[in-house]
Amino acid sequence: MTNNRHRDRIKHFTAFGQNLPHAKVYYREDWQIIYFELAGKMFGLMSPTLSDTSIITLKGDPDSNEELRDLYADISAGYHVNKRHWISVKLNTEELSDQEIDAMIKQSYLLVVNNLPVNIRQRITENNL
């Protein structure tokens, strides 16, 4: 995958995350990472720079995460997070399309939505999801 394609993926996934209702995606200086957040809860981390080791780390269902790791060489246990509940996907993967990774980002977001207090969850989901 070319560096331009890789850079486009970082921009694409950042924009996709920012377009989810009430989500914030920003460069977190203290961790030097692109941080995906909803109501103060993390739903993703992404490498901000181009390299062969650049990844996006997302929350997922533990059983699905295990299946994904078995199916794809470019998916591994979450880096620096709970290995059962998180996966890391290489950004230079050719095994997975942008749309497949978008779906993983949305799934991670929804897992966080579903664990929020009811009043916050209702505010986020009203007319949005």
Side-chain angles (χ1 to χ4, degrees):
M1 183 172 290
T2 67
N3 278 349
N4 285 341
R5 175 74 179 119
H6 189 150
R7 187 177 7 265
D8 289 347
R9 268 194 155 172
I10 291 172
K11 288 179 185 176
H12 172 85
F13 298 142
T14 298
F16 183 85
Q18 288 172 331
N19 284 321
L20 294 169
H22 302 275
K24 297 177 189 172
V25 180
Y26 57 93
Y27 181 75
R28 187 168 167 169
E29 190 75 38
D30 57 339
W31 290 6
Q32 297 182 341
I33 197 85
I34 297 172
Y35 192 81
F36 292 68
E37 175 187 318
L38 174 66
K41 305 290 183 187
M42 176 179 74
F43 70 94
L45 301 167
M46 185 169 59
S47 302
T49 57
L50 307 173
S51 78
D52 289 337
T53 59
S54 296
I55 56 173
I56 184 167
T57 299
L58 301 164
K59 192 172 200 155
D61 169 72
D63 294 331
S64 296
N65 287 348
E66 189 174 331
E67 288 177 31
L68 289 168
R69 287 191 300 267
D70 290 343
L71 282 172
Y72 300 103
D74 290 340
I75 295 180
S76 59
Y79 183 71
H80 282 305
V81 289
N82 182 301
K83 308 297 185 218
R84 192 165 140 68
H85 292 274
W86 294 80
I87 56 170
S88 291
V89 181
K90 291 181 181 178
L91 287 175
N92 67 355
T93 185
E94 301 215 7
E95 292 182 300
L96 296 151
S97 68
D98 288 358
Q99 292 74 27
E100 289 170 309
I101 297 172
D102 287 347
M104 291 176 186
I105 294 169
K106 186 165 186 179
Q107 176 65 26
S108 184
Y109 167 86
L110 291 173
L111 286 168
V112 170
V113 168
N114 291 335
N115 284 316
L116 292 171
V118 173
N119 61 330
I120 296 172
R121 185 171 57 238
Q122 287 174 335
R123 190 177 76 236
I124 289 169
T125 59
E126 284 177 358
N127 303 320
N128 288 316
L129 297 176

